[in-house]
Amino acid sequence: MGPSSPTGPNVPWIALSRREKPDGGSQKSNLMNDRTTAPEPSAQGASVTLAPGVRRVRAPNAGMMTGSGTNTYLLGEREVTVIDPGPEDASHLRNILSAAGPQIRWVAVTHTHRDHSPLATELARLTGARLIGLPPPADGRQDERFRPQQQPRDGEILALGEIALTAIHTPGHASNCVCYLDSRERLLFTGDHVLGGVSPVILPPDGEMAAYLHSLEKLGGYDFERIAPGHGEILERGKRVVELLRAHRLARESKVLSCIGAGATLEELTPRVYDDVPSERHGWAKLTLQAHLIKLEREGRVCERAGVFRTKSG
């Protein structure tokens, strides 16, 4: 099915509302204000230099669920690490090989949703590169062909030729999400864990809201200045972006509790909690709402009976 369906192949994130601010209100400003002030050229397929030894090639899969397309990053010059090779697309594969083919030694993935990792297997076959990442969960939304040769430990420093990346396990959006920190450039590659101006969909049962919030808090212990997300432009003031994203999720949680009232079903809650989101996106919003409710149930703050959710005091 197409990317507009929650059962379709592209499940990274959704621009639920570009008007949200952390306190639940709305304003013209948003997290995108913390991106680079002069956006880099966004032509799909072009190799764009973002920092010394860091380039981006954008996949031609723009859409509601992928924004301007999946960002593939090329790190290093003599020996290249590819982060998130992207969807199975012959033209994108050619562009990656044209930019760095003979130098590619490693392919690392942030997670195995089908807009991020499917080219990894073919790229490794053609170049002999070593595959790095965590195996795909069995939830039907993954690139099941991905078979990592190296599964990075949380906090492990990966020596990859000219560069070193710290692997940071950040479950939440998916259970196998990994961020990679280039300490030299203070640049954090986040996949779909952190994005600019949008909030990633949390996809239960594999994705968990409590884990997602914990992972955001965990990033505060690392030294980075900028964020290279899986979609969109480089984000400046990366720590601030993470703080705002966590505040937004907690504000949405408070709204869930206030909207339950005397009791409500998931279907009744969705338009109430996401009244600031276009109705055509409510199918995706409902998944994240479900993740919020699962968290609240586990914390004993909400209970469910016969499909009706109530607060414990309600």
Side-chain angles (χ1 to χ4, degrees), residues 15-70:
L16 294 179
S17 174
R18 292 185 179 272
R19 297 175 293 105
E20 297 164 344
K21 61 179 180 179
D23 64 3
S26 64
Q27 58 179 10
K28 290 183 180 179
S29 116
N30 52 55
L31 297 186
M32 287 302 285
N33 290 340
D34 289 302
R35 75 180 186 181
T36 49
T37 54
E40 306 91 349
S42 58
Q44 291 167 343
S47 176
V48 178
T49 298
L50 305 175
V54 179
R55 291 172 288 164
R56 183 192 66 210
V57 179
R58 184 165 287 161
N61 63 332
M64 184 181 79
M65 298 309 299
T66 52
S68 54
T70 300

Side-chain angles (χ1 to χ4, degrees), residues 13 32 57 64 72 84 92 95 128 177 180 189 198 213 227 305 310 312-313:
W13 58 274
M32 287 302 285
V57 179
M64 184 181 79
T72 295
D84 281 356
H92 189 50
N95 290 333
C177 284
Y180 297 97
F189 300 88
V198 295
L213 290 168
I227 289 173
R305 183 175 298 174
R310 292 181 172 85
K312 279 298 183 72
S313 59

Side-chain angles (χ1 to χ4, degrees), residues 4-300:
S4 62
S5 167
T7 57
N10 297 322
V11 287
W13 58 274
I14 185 167
L16 294 179
S17 174
R18 292 185 179 272
R19 297 175 293 105
E20 297 164 344
K21 61 179 180 179
D23 64 3
S26 64
Q27 58 179 10
K28 290 183 180 179
S29 116
N30 52 55
L31 297 186
M32 287 302 285
N33 290 340
D34 289 302
R35 75 180 186 181
T36 49
T37 54
E40 306 91 349
S42 58
Q44 291 167 343
S47 176
V48 178
T49 298
L50 305 175
V54 179
R55 291 172 288 164
R56 183 192 66 210
V57 179
R58 184 165 287 161
N61 63 332
M64 184 181 79
M65 298 309 299
T66 52
S68 54
T70 300
N71 290 332
T72 295
Y73 294 101
L74 311 177
L75 281 62
E77 298 293 345
R78 296 184 300 275
E79 294 182 296
V80 171
T81 299
V82 177
I83 296 181
D84 281 356
E88 204 161 21
D89 182 274
S91 65
H92 189 50
L93 177 62
R94 287 194 300 271
N95 290 333
I96 295 171
L97 291 172
S98 175
Q103 288 80 39
I104 295 173
R105 299 290 183 270
W106 301 273
V107 177
V109 303
T110 60
H111 64 301
T112 52
H113 283 155
R114 295 172 191 154
D115 59 323
H116 284 261
S117 68
L119 270 187
T121 300
E122 180 65 5
L123 195 58
R125 187 187 71 81
L126 292 173
T127 65
R130 184 174 180 81
L131 294 178
I132 301 171
L134 299 182
D139 69 348
R141 295 184 172 114
Q142 310 293 328
D143 167 24
E144 296 173 0
R145 295 186 309 157
F146 182 72
R147 296 290 183 268
Q149 296 161 292
Q150 181 175 352
Q151 298 182 36
R153 299 184 305 276
D154 186 27
E156 179 180 0
I157 297 176
L158 306 172
L160 306 174
E162 308 152 52
I163 65 167
L165 295 177
T166 301
I168 308 168
H169 290 192
T170 51
H173 171 62
S175 63
N176 67 341
C177 284
V178 180
C179 292
Y180 297 97
L181 174 61
D182 181 348
S183 297
R184 174 198 58 179
E185 293 295 330
R186 300 181 69 207
L187 181 61
L188 183 68
F189 300 88
T190 58
D192 289 341
H193 182 62
V194 178
L195 299 155
V198 295
S199 180
V201 174
I202 309 301
L203 299 157
D206 178 64
E208 293 187 9
M209 186 60 70
Y212 182 69
L213 290 168
H214 174 73
S215 293
L216 289 175
E217 187 174 17
K218 178 181 181 179
L219 289 180
Y222 288 88
D223 182 24
F224 62 92
E225 175 67 25
R226 300 188 297 163
I227 289 173
H231 308 269
E233 306 297 339
I234 293 290
L235 302 171
E236 305 289 352
R237 301 175 63 208
K239 290 289 186 77
R240 179 62 174 157
V241 171
V242 172
E243 290 170 1
L244 289 173
L245 182 54
R246 190 171 186 276
H248 163 68
R249 286 266 56 93
L250 291 173
R252 186 70 77 181
E253 179 179 282
S254 295
K255 190 173 181 181
V256 171
L257 290 169
S258 67
C259 287
I260 287 178
T265 66
L266 183 63
E267 288 69 25
E268 290 168 340
L269 275 174
T270 302
R272 298 179 193 172
V273 175
Y274 290 94
D275 58 355
D276 53 346
V277 172
S279 59
E280 63 268 19
R281 298 176 180 176
H282 282 184
W284 289 100
K286 184 161 65 173
L287 292 172
T288 297
L289 173 57
Q290 185 180 6
H292 273 296
L293 290 167
I294 290 171
K295 173 182 178 291
L296 292 168
E297 278 192 276
R298 289 175 177 171
E299 294 172 347

